[in-house]
Amino acid sequence: DFAVLSAAGMRELGRVARMLEEHIELPAGLVGNHDKGAVIARHRDSYPVRLMCRALAVAPSGFYAAMARPVSARAARDAALLAKVEAAHAASGERYGAPRVHAELRAQGEAVGRKRVARLMRGAALAGRRPGARHRAVVRRRSLGSRHR
């Protein structure tokens, strides 16, 4: 157990924590224990769970309790909706952003909120193409020498 560690144990823990940070790709901005738990679950075959829990400041009992819990109704619904959001986004040639994907889903009879669609798209790194200058004219400047002849 990690309740009491000697100075050497703390140094070893720091060394292993740094090693974990180097070898485990941690997503930017790990906020909650849910995100940390996903990282631990993904790497539990490679590193000891208790060590990763200690390095990420998560209680091992909390991690194991979360693993035993069934998927929430919201998470299950989000997973089903995400498949529909991805399909609508792909059908638009990846041009539609959240407002248009939301409108498309509503047209299909799906009862879903715009902000929920936006959250799911953000989480899946889906974004619409922004309108902008597609073709820019190349403007060549004359050199000062040719201008003053």
Side-chain angles (χ1 to χ4, degrees):
D1 202 307
F2 292 109
V4 178
L5 286 177
S6 65
M10 289 299 287
R11 281 194 302 276
E12 176 68 10
L13 181 65
R15 185 186 67 75
V16 172
R18 283 189 299 281
M19 181 192 69
L20 284 174
E21 289 173 2
E22 290 173 9
H23 295 287
I24 295 177
E25 188 173 319
L26 297 177
L30 281 181
V31 177
N33 287 344
H34 177 76
D35 294 337
K36 293 176 183 179
V39 170
I40 293 169
R42 194 169 38 250
H43 298 285
R44 69 190 298 184
D45 294 334
S46 304
Y47 300 99
V49 170
R50 286 184 163 274
L51 188 61
M52 288 189 289
C53 287
R54 179 72 177 207
L56 295 174
V58 176
S61 60
F63 168 73
Y64 286 115
M67 293 302 294
R69 241 178 261 128
V71 175
S72 69
R74 179 184 177 194
R77 176 84 172 119
D78 279 352
L81 266 174
L82 181 58
K84 293 179 182 181
V85 165
E86 288 173 335
H89 183 68
S92 73
E94 299 181 355
R95 283 178 164 68
Y96 285 4
R100 284 185 173 175
V101 169
H102 172 253
E104 182 69 29
L105 293 176
R106 294 290 295 207
Q108 294 173 8
E110 194 67 46
V112 62
R114 179 181 52 84
K115 290 190 177 186
R116 187 176 201 176
V117 171
R119 176 177 54 82
L120 291 173
M121 288 183 70
R122 230 182 357 263
L126 300 175
R129 289 197 189 138
R130 294 189 176 139
R134 288 180 186 87
H135 306 285
R136 289 197 170 160
V138 177
V139 178
R140 294 190 180 141
R141 295 181 185 213
R142 289 189 242 172
S143 67
L144 292 175
S146 63
R147 194 171 173 204
H148 296 291
R149 286 186 182 187

